[in-house]
Amino acid sequence: MELGSLLLFLGMDVLLIFTPGPDMLYVMARSLGQGRRTGLTAVAGICCGYAVHTVLAAAGLAAALRAVPAALPAMRYAGAAYLVFLAVRTLMSLRTSAGHPGVGPTSEQPTGVVLRQSMLTSLLNPKGLLLYLSLMPQFISPGTGVPLAIQLTVLGLLHVVNCAALYGLIAVATARASRALTGTPKAARRISAVSGTLLLVVAAATLSTH
């Protein structure tokens, strides 16, 4: 694979990651509502989801999705519904924490739960699939002697590394800002309300992805 093409892909990939979208808003929502550990776990889940996308794309899923265009809208609706479920559960927890002062709305969930939720969110995010369907094929060179599946795997893993680094920074920065704003239980509940609302925004952004 040509070094110039790889560098160009990395540059475009970083720009796409930094463009506000469902993944970024999701990481911010989890970090804002539940702290740095949960935010970084969410990033790990998203990266696991993209690693699965990479394997499936290399196995031929990208071609299959081109052949069945209706699959993408179905995944988009499923992903949005799941995010709405997470948002409603976050907002409903505010009622419980309001009635029990000892229960903090920003308490962290078990790592395994957050990892599974985030991985599923990533797998159902059509923006990730569109990356494999539209952008990555532009950087594959059929005449290099390297199998196309290997080239796609390399590009996919580079994307996973970029996501881990950039979303990790966003998670840490958002969690730090959250700690500065949650000095009282009332303020903590407000932050959780913002987190739940942000998840609803992520669901809307997922539905708007074409």
Side-chain angles (χ1 to χ4, degrees), residues 75-119:
M75 296 187 69
R76 181 164 66 244
Y77 294 133
Y82 185 65
L83 288 168
V84 170
F85 165 74
L86 294 179
V88 170
R89 192 168 69 172
T90 299
L91 295 173
M92 290 295 291
S93 70
L94 297 178
R95 299 178 59 183
T96 302
S97 63
H100 301 82
V103 179
T106 58
S107 58
E108 297 179 344
Q109 291 181 306
T111 300
V113 172
V114 177
L115 191 64
R116 288 194 300 271
Q117 291 176 346
S118 303
M119 184 174 178

Side-chain angles (χ1 to χ4, degrees), residues 28-35 90 105-108 174 178 188 191-192 195:
M28 292 176 66
R30 300 309 293 256
S31 304
L32 187 66
Q34 297 171 310
T90 299
T106 58
S107 58
E108 297 179 344
T174 304
S178 175
I191 290 297
S192 287
S195 175

Side-chain angles (χ1 to χ4, degrees), residues 157-181:
L157 292 178
L158 287 175
H159 176 65
V160 170
V161 171
N162 282 343
C163 286
L166 299 178
Y167 289 147
L169 291 174
I170 291 171
V172 171
T174 304
R176 182 171 298 179
S178 175
R179 286 199 302 271
L181 296 172

